[in-house]
Amino acid sequence: MNQLRAWLRPETCIFIVLWLGLLVVGRTQLFRDPGTYWHIVVGERILDTGRFPEVDEFSFTRTNQPWLATQWLGEIAMAGVDRWLGFDGLLVMLATMLAALYAWVANRLIRVGLHWSLAVVLVALALAASVHNWHVRPHMATLLALALTYGLLLDVDSGRRSVVSLCWLPLLFLIWSNLHGGV
């Protein structure tokens, strides 16, 4: 029984409930933004040709105008997941990322002394505030990378980590800037 209690911590339950909920409602809700398909197609073109698109082929107001694929890494990743696992793979990837992110936030809140029930309320408020931005698109990398950066900075500021742990941030920012411009 103690092993089960150690495994079923509040943040684990948050992960499981959120992950399952996202898998159920995500099929209709997370793919509502047409930009999802646009990003997949751009990634497919990059994978097929081995080159970045140089002109905008998709928007009627800028057809054949010079264009730079600034989210190329995210688009390639989305196209790769789509090729390998289809839309279900993209759904599982996003559901796992979001559930892990909010469970991690709950874990951090509980570790600093908040009661698990208050942590659940705060995470639920954060979910409610951010759910309108949840789409299978490269900008989700910004949500994750920003949270990781902020968490790391808080750990350094509080003395839980040394300043040396900030050395990997330039690599994160390099990857992040090619996933999404939110860096």
Side-chain angles (χ1 to χ4, degrees), residues 3 29 43 47 53 57 70 77 100 107 135-136 149 160 162:
Q3 289 179 338
Q29 298 300 313
L47 289 173
E57 301 175 46
T70 58
N107 174 271
H135 301 289
V136 181
T149 301
R160 287 189 296 267
S162 72

Side-chain angles (χ1 to χ4, degrees), residues 8 19 24 34 38 61 80 87-88 90 102 105-106 123 127 132 140-141 148 167 172 180-181:
L8 273 181
W19 189 72
V24 170
W38 184 87
T61 58
F87 281 169
D88 287 339
L90 289 165
Y102 288 97
V105 169
V123 167
L127 290 169
H132 68 281
M140 296 311 295
L148 292 174
C167 289
L172 172 66
H180 185 257

Side-chain angles (χ1 to χ4, degrees), residues 3 50 68 70 74 85 92 109 111 154 159 161 170 180:
Q3 289 179 338
L68 179 63
T70 58
L85 300 168
V92 169
L109 293 171
R111 273 192 335 202
L154 287 175
R161 289 184 183 262
H180 185 257

Side-chain angles (χ1 to χ4, degrees), residues 16-157:
I16 292 169
V17 168
L18 187 55
W19 189 72
L20 290 174
L22 284 166
L23 290 178
V24 170
V25 299
R27 293 183 74 82
T28 57
Q29 298 300 313
L30 297 176
F31 289 97
R32 293 176 68 176
D33 188 332
T36 298
Y37 312 106
W38 184 87
H39 287 294
I40 292 170
V41 169
V42 171
E44 289 280 347
R45 297 251 170 105
I46 294 170
L47 289 173
D48 289 342
T49 65
R51 299 181 53 184
F52 294 120
E54 296 175 2
V55 296
D56 186 350
E57 301 175 46
F58 305 109
S59 58
F60 73 95
T61 58
R62 302 269 306 152
T63 301
N64 294 323
Q65 296 296 313
W67 174 67
L68 179 63
T70 58
Q71 301 176 49
W72 66 272
L73 189 56
E75 291 160 346
I76 288 173
M78 288 177 64
V81 171
D82 182 56
R83 281 184 177 182
W84 186 38
L85 300 168
F87 281 169
D88 287 339
L90 289 165
L91 174 62
V92 169
M93 178 184 70
L94 183 59
T96 303
M97 187 201 83
L98 288 170
L101 173 63
Y102 288 97
W104 174 73
V105 169
N107 174 271
R108 289 183 64 88
L109 293 171
I110 292 167
R111 273 192 335 202
V112 297
L114 262 62
H115 189 267
W116 68 266
S117 60
L118 183 55
V120 168
V121 168
L122 291 174
V123 167
L125 289 172
L127 290 169
S130 63
V131 70
H132 68 281
N133 283 313
W134 294 354
H135 301 289
V136 181
R137 293 188 55 168
H139 78 274
M140 296 311 295
T142 290
L143 183 66
L144 181 64
L146 182 62
L148 292 174
T149 301
Y150 188 65
L152 181 60
L153 291 172
L154 287 175
D155 287 347
V156 169
D157 186 53

